[in-house]
Amino acid sequence: MDFTVGTALNQTAGIDAYVRARVGGGAWLKTRVHKSRDPVFNAAFIIPALSPSFCDVLELQLKDYDVADEDDLVGTLHFDLSAVAARKFRTPTWYNIYGAPTSTDSLPSLPGPFGSLRRMADEMNEGRREGSAYRGRVLLSLCVDPQPDPSQALKSSVVNIAPLQHKMHPDISEPIDIQYGCIVDVLEAMNVTANAPVTCEVCCGGYTMTSNAKSAMSSAVEWNERLQGVFAFPRVTTSSNSLPDLFVNVMCKGKRLCYLRLRTQVTRGDAQWLELQDDEFGGFKAQRAGRVLLRLAVTFDELSNLDMKRDKVVISPSRARVKYQLLCKLYASKGLSDNLPSSLLASTFITISCAGVSATSSEKKGKSGVFLEALLLDVVLPVDLRHAPPLLINSWRNFSRHSQLTASLAELNLSELTVEGEARWLPLRPVNHEENLQDPAIFASLHVTRLGQC
């Protein structure tokens, strides 16, 4: 196997970088150490492999050499050997590396629950868990060459190769950075819990754009701001998208509350509500009525195709707002308790919330509950309900004066509820720590009525 490593880019300034590779559980082969932010290896791994094999995965790791301590793992890539044999990776291509945020590199390795964050960061950097941050990227090509005489043993080795010749690869453009324009309209967020002003941060590769800080004391944040940036990335191949993913982060006091990972592609999207994930390392995880919802629009294209200004643009909230009443006729529930003995002592209740306003049902015990009650919300929303935040429906378990979120439904568009419909079963999605719930749902009808101007 010829494993050619070209240039590796990492967002950390000046690391002692080297690349190592192995097939299955075999021995690691590694390149020489290059101290640079943009190291150039120009090395080829020769790795013998049998076909068929019990393990057909090639593992690549980019590491940071440390004299005194254990080498730091920047990130990991995995390749299926059957896909490599099909010549899917023969053209040199940029492959992005994702893992844990760089702020986790200094986390200590401790036993038990005290080291859970360190272990989670290691899983991200090893590629066993989806990464929540960009870590760098590597230019490489892969190929499998059948050995004509299997009786002759092929030795593992790392050899130097000549720099990449673009004339020999017609699919590769010259290594000139292509400028891309990125326009992100950051409008508003719902369900944010923070005791200090928050900012919205948009990251792509090593580039970052940040909004102004806004108060989040009422759980609703309005930025109404346009972030614009020019990113330069080398366009190596025309057949695959090698642009780094876009990360949208909600930040407070320099730490990330939650984030959204989007695939970077040429787009001119309309504003939409998107659900963010809690940052496992931020230390701000809280019991809230569902996850944070962020309304934004993303435009991404080559700079020559866009007409954009370099300065920040404040978007005036021109959408008129009126009062609406949300009516939820709640009849019954099912599957909201697991089979644990503690569930017999706990009670369940339902909450509905929208735009920072919420209503709560009475508490019921048992797996199935009969509520037969109406939940009302008087809330101020845009005239056009397509721009309104979705209605959040959540189930909670109350045990010994402690309420715990068990399941949620956050996909209800208010513009579809202007005509009162018949009651139906609405499936709920269990949260991470409630995997034992079996098909939780509520039986309810929903209706939105316009009351008048504010």
Side-chain angles (χ1 to χ4, degrees), residues 221-273:
V221 185
E222 287 197 15
W223 285 287
N224 291 316
E225 190 173 337
R226 173 168 293 176
L227 305 181
Q228 301 181 128
V230 177
F231 307 153
F233 297 114
R235 184 172 58 190
V236 180
T237 65
T238 57
S239 58
S240 64
N241 179 12
S242 58
L243 296 170
D245 286 352
L246 200 69
F247 286 88
V248 182
N249 308 316
V250 176
M251 309 289 295
C252 179
K253 295 181 178 179
K255 292 188 177 181
R256 187 169 67 173
L257 293 174
C258 47
Y259 69 95
L260 173 68
R261 179 175 171 178
L262 298 172
R263 178 175 173 80
T264 303
Q265 56 187 348
V266 174
T267 180
R268 295 170 184 258
D270 297 327
Q272 57 181 320
W273 286 95

Side-chain angles (χ1 to χ4, degrees), residues 2-6 41-46 141 158-164:
D2 177 53
F3 184 69
T4 305
V5 182
F41 298 104
N42 289 326
F45 291 107
I46 309 297
S141 66
V158 181
V159 298
N160 296 327
I161 58 174
L164 185 64

Side-chain angles (χ1 to χ4, degrees), residues 21 61 89 114 124 157 181 198 216 218 223 235 238 258 264 266 275 278 284 292 321 323 424 428 430 449:
Q61 288 187 342
F89 304 101
F114 300 101
M124 287 187 178
S157 61
V198 297
S218 63
W223 285 287
R235 184 172 58 190
T238 57
C258 47
T264 303
V266 174
E275 185 176 347
D278 286 326
F284 284 90
V292 174
R321 294 174 178 264
K323 286 185 179 180
R424 66 186 190 276
L428 303 180
T449 303

Side-chain angles (χ1 to χ4, degrees), residues 12-56:
T12 306
I15 66 171
D16 298 322
Y18 69 91
V19 178
R20 67 177 189 173
R22 69 176 178 181
V23 173
W28 289 101
L29 295 177
K30 66 179 184 179
T31 65
R32 292 181 299 172
V33 175
H34 294 260
K35 184 175 180 60
S36 172
R37 181 182 182 275
D38 304 316
V40 178
F41 298 104
N42 289 326
F45 291 107
I46 309 297
I47 305 177
L50 298 177
S51 180
S53 172
F54 290 105
C55 185
D56 57 354

Side-chain angles (χ1 to χ4, degrees), residues 336-337 342-350 360 362-365 395-406:
L336 295 181
S337 296
S342 60
S343 298
L344 300 177
L345 303 177
S347 57
T348 298
F349 62 94
I350 306 297
T360 305
S362 58
E363 297 185 9
K364 303 295 180 181
K365 288 190 176 182
S395 69
W396 299 78
R397 179 181 299 140
N398 191 6
F399 179 75
S400 185
R401 298 183 180 179
H402 174 68
S403 298
Q404 187 177 41
L405 181 66
T406 55

Side-chain angles (χ1 to χ4, degrees), residues 402-416:
H402 174 68
S403 298
Q404 187 177 41
L405 181 66
T406 55
S408 64
L409 172 65
E411 292 84 11
L412 291 176
N413 189 333
L414 294 182
S415 62
E416 301 174 357

Side-chain angles (χ1 to χ4, degrees), residues 115-167:
S116 59
L117 291 182
R118 175 71 267 171
R119 290 191 292 273
M120 187 183 304
D122 291 340
E123 290 177 359
M124 287 187 178
N125 295 336
E126 293 169 0
R128 294 186 286 124
R129 180 192 289 258
E130 184 181 51
S132 62
Y134 172 81
R135 301 277 292 184
R137 59 194 206 153
V138 179
L139 174 63
L140 59 87
S141 66
L142 299 170
C143 67
V144 172
D145 293 325
Q147 185 72 6
D149 187 1
S151 61
Q152 296 182 359
L154 185 64
K155 294 183 179 181
S156 302
S157 61
V158 181
V159 298
N160 296 327
I161 58 174
L164 185 64
Q165 299 294 323
H166 295 269
K167 294 181 180 180

